[in-house]
Amino acid sequence: MNRKVQIKILLDAAMTLLLLFLMGYQLWGEAAHEWAGAAIFLSFILHNILNLAWYRNLFRGRYNPMRTAVLAVNVLLILSMICLMISSVILSRYVFAFLPVHGFMSLGRRMHMAAAYWGFGLMAAHLGLHWNMLLGMAGRLIKGEIHSAAARLAAVLAGTGIAIYGLTVFIKRDLLIYMFLRTEFVFLDYDEPKILFYLDYLALMGLFIYIAHYGLKLLKKV
């Protein structure tokens, strides 16, 4: 495995951890949230630089349903990240406080809320679209692969269980209300144990990965 691929894997892992950290705003405080947000934006920019070939190939070849779905997820993810960057600057009290940005706080808060939840789902879906590739890379890193039918069945059952748990979390935490701006504020439980919060959000990430991964498999048959 060459150095560029290794960097991509490490960068994607770092972005995933940062994303989970950022969803727990109430657990770590505003300053930590802002600095982690700045770190994920820098990582996102570097991720795109390392994948410039994708942009160069956008208008080459023809688009089937599978390629169209990948394009839609990627474009929506980029738009959500841009909205997060803009709203972060508007709301910032630490990292970007030196910038002469005033006003638009209500707009910035609503934009940040919607973009954060859409961005979380879309970034997890982006991982799901490349899940087979990520598993292949992981297999090469550990110098081995598991081919047995029992192991594959166990993986499918585990993934399905995580997705079902993630769906219950999606409903319980009212994510649709935040994604579609049905409220001005997010309900935050400052006393929630960190371990329970992150188990829920790992399951949520698993839900979006599952939907994207098996949705792509279905589109391959179209």
Side-chain angles (χ1 to χ4, degrees), residues 20-116:
L20 286 166
F21 178 87
L22 285 165
M23 299 310 293
Y25 165 85
Q26 73 278 15
L27 304 176
W28 307 103
E30 190 172 357
H33 183 81
E34 286 197 23
W35 285 109
I40 202 171
F41 292 146
L42 290 174
S43 301
F44 182 77
I45 292 168
L46 181 55
H47 174 86
N48 280 272
I49 291 172
L50 291 171
N51 290 278
L52 284 176
W54 182 79
Y55 291 95
R56 288 196 294 267
N57 293 323
L58 275 178
F59 300 103
R60 297 175 184 172
R62 71 182 188 87
Y63 278 81
N64 54 24
M66 186 176 69
R67 190 181 179 192
T68 302
V70 172
L71 175 66
V73 170
N74 288 345
V75 169
L76 290 171
L77 176 57
I78 291 168
L79 290 175
S80 69
M81 293 300 287
I82 291 171
C83 288
L84 277 171
M85 291 179 190
I86 294 171
S87 58
S88 295
V89 172
I90 293 172
L91 298 172
S92 178
R93 296 175 57 190
Y94 297 93
V95 180
F96 302 108
F98 63 93
L99 294 175
V101 178
H102 306 287
F104 306 106
M105 294 297 288
S106 178
L107 173 63
R109 185 168 56 248
R110 290 168 65 84
M111 183 190 296
H112 199 78
M113 178 171 64

Side-chain angles (χ1 to χ4, degrees), residues 159-172:
T160 302
I162 291 170
I164 292 171
Y165 173 29
L167 180 60
T168 64
V169 173
F170 185 88
I171 296 169
K172 178 183 71 175

